[in-house]
Amino acid sequence: MTLSVDDEFNVTYITLGGYVEMGKYRYFYFSIMLTVYILTICFNCTIVYLIWIHKNLHEPMYVFIAALLLNSIVYNTAMYPKMLSDFLSEEQLISYSACLFQFFVYYTLSASDFFLLSAMSYDRYVAICKPLRYAAIMRRSTVTTILVLAWLVPAGEMAVSVILVTNSKLCNSALRALFCNNSLYKLFCESSRALSVFDVLALLSMALFPLLFILFTYTRILIISYRSGRNVRKKAAQTCLPHLIVLICFSSLCGYDVIVIRLGSDSDFMTTLQAFLYYPLLNPVIYGLKVKEISKHLKKLLCEAKVM
């Protein structure tokens, strides 16, 4: 297949072929996706708003939760409008530059989520295993530094990856996916050794190492909790369970992206669609219902809304 090129502007367009499986159900999928998009933005913004206005939620754990939800807001805002328009379009096209932007946003925010989940696990480790030193360790300056690194480090690494991708020659314009993810590599004429090496290093630094760190901290929490009294175990379960649920679901999606897509298989329409349906709503629901202080303020807000 030849590339579609606009000679005047020298823009290469890529066909997103993952939508062919939706058939006559395009309007049904569009309605579901639009509903999920609106609910996701509303739920995430509500939780962030509650954390912002209530001073008792200005603690490191809640700040990291707010940052994670902000990532979700940016991610959905960058990805959903294009997907929604593609559901209603006869031909799903995206410019190469816009495709690279999607690629950058998707993996930058995914890596940032891993860093933020690592920060949450460390915060819980200090709170449960070193409670007397918590205030000294988790200072405001420490939290600010963690947040800056959680956004800048993935952005920097993905910027390098995008630069390497940009220099690769395209021999195909048909991308069998709903958006520009790792499937993009299948469009290149030949694989780049430099890009492959860098991707492995990026995967290690932005996903595997943070995941191992999270597993280490939660293992330490589990050991300390087991050795301590019932109250400590209860506190550990209440504060760590929401993070673990989010971590397991998020790691599963990332594993699918790396193992299934990067290693040669095409993106499955229904699997990808379910990921866009379930995970965006997972974070605000889990943190809104399972984190006690946030849940308390959320119930109060809902009661006030009913009165009005």
Side-chain angles (χ1 to χ4, degrees):
M1 180 179 293
T2 58
L3 295 177
S4 174
V5 180
D6 186 323
D7 294 330
E8 183 179 355
F9 297 101
N10 194 29
V11 177
T12 301
Y13 290 94
I14 294 171
T15 302
L16 297 173
Y19 292 86
V20 295
E21 298 178 31
M22 64 183 177
K24 61 182 179 180
Y25 299 105
R26 66 172 67 242
Y27 294 106
F28 172 74
Y29 292 136
F30 173 84
S31 301
I32 297 297
M33 292 291 285
L34 180 60
T35 302
V36 170
Y37 175 55
I38 294 173
L39 290 177
T40 299
I41 297 299
C42 291
F43 288 174
N44 280 304
C45 288
T46 300
I47 303 299
V48 172
Y49 170 74
L50 290 175
I51 294 173
W52 177 268
I53 65 172
H54 294 290
K55 290 187 176 180
N56 69 320
L57 298 181
H58 293 179
E59 297 180 8
M61 180 179 73
Y62 304 114
V63 172
F64 293 140
I65 290 175
L68 193 69
L69 299 183
L70 282 174
N71 274 4
S72 182
I73 293 171
V74 175
Y75 168 80
N76 289 309
T77 302
M79 305 294 285
Y80 265 82
K82 170 60 178 169
M83 292 185 67
L84 289 170
S85 67
D86 283 338
F87 277 113
L88 300 181
S89 302
E90 291 298 326
E91 190 174 13
Q92 294 77 30
L93 295 175
I94 185 170
S95 68
Y96 187 46
S97 58
C99 187
L100 291 179
F101 175 73
Q102 273 195 348
F103 179 87
F104 174 80
V105 170
Y106 178 65
Y107 289 107
T108 294
L109 294 180
S110 295
S112 179
D113 282 357
F114 265 121
F115 280 101
L116 290 172
L117 288 169
S118 299
M120 289 181 194
S121 69
Y122 180 68
D123 175 77
R124 292 302 83 203
Y125 166 74
V126 176
I128 294 171
C129 301
K130 300 179 181 181
L132 299 179
R133 298 181 57 194
Y134 182 82
I137 295 175
M138 299 303 294
R139 299 189 299 267
R140 178 174 295 182
S141 59
T142 304
V143 174
T144 301
T145 301
I146 291 173
L147 289 176
V148 170
L149 292 176
W151 283 315
L152 288 186
V153 172
E157 292 197 25
M158 286 311 303
V160 174
S161 183
V162 168
I163 291 172
L164 293 173
V165 167
T166 304
N167 294 328
S168 299
K169 184 180 179 182
L170 294 173
C171 282
N172 192 2
S173 66
L175 186 67
R176 189 166 176 77
L178 299 182
F179 64 99
C180 295
N181 53 15
N182 271 327
S183 300
L184 183 65
Y185 292 114
K186 299 176 184 178
L187 303 182
F188 302 146
C189 299
E190 56 184 19
S191 59
S192 167
R193 184 185 180 95
L195 181 59
S196 298
V197 171
F198 183 82
D199 280 350
V200 171
L201 295 176
L203 179 63
L204 291 174
S205 63
M206 295 193 297
L208 185 58
F209 289 160
L211 182 59
L212 291 175
F213 177 78
I214 293 170
L215 293 176
F216 169 77
T217 54
Y218 280 123
T219 300
R220 291 293 302 163
I221 290 172
L222 182 63
I223 293 173
I224 296 296
S225 301
Y226 180 77
R227 293 175 179 174
S228 303
R230 182 178 179 181
N231 290 336
V232 175
R233 290 196 293 270
K234 184 178 179 180
K235 178 184 176 183
Q238 288 177 341
T239 59
C240 294
L241 184 60
H243 305 310
L244 285 172
I245 294 173
V246 171
L247 174 65
I248 292 171
C249 294
F250 181 63
S251 299
S252 299
L253 291 177
C254 292
Y256 166 79
D257 185 272
V258 173
I259 296 173
V260 177
I261 300 176
R262 187 68 176 94
L263 297 184
S265 299
D266 290 323
S267 300
D268 178 74
F269 175 75
M270 290 307 300
T271 304
T272 305
L273 193 62
Q274 288 178 55
F276 271 89
L277 291 175
Y278 300 152
Y279 185 71
L281 287 172
L282 177 68
N283 286 0
V285 170
I286 291 296
Y287 291 124
L289 297 179
K290 293 297 183 180
V291 178
K292 184 178 179 181
E293 289 300 317
I294 296 178
S295 178
K296 182 175 67 175
H297 288 297
L298 182 60
K299 289 177 182 177
K300 184 178 179 181
L301 180 65
L302 293 175
C303 290
E304 291 175 354
K306 287 182 179 179
V307 173
M308 294 175 62

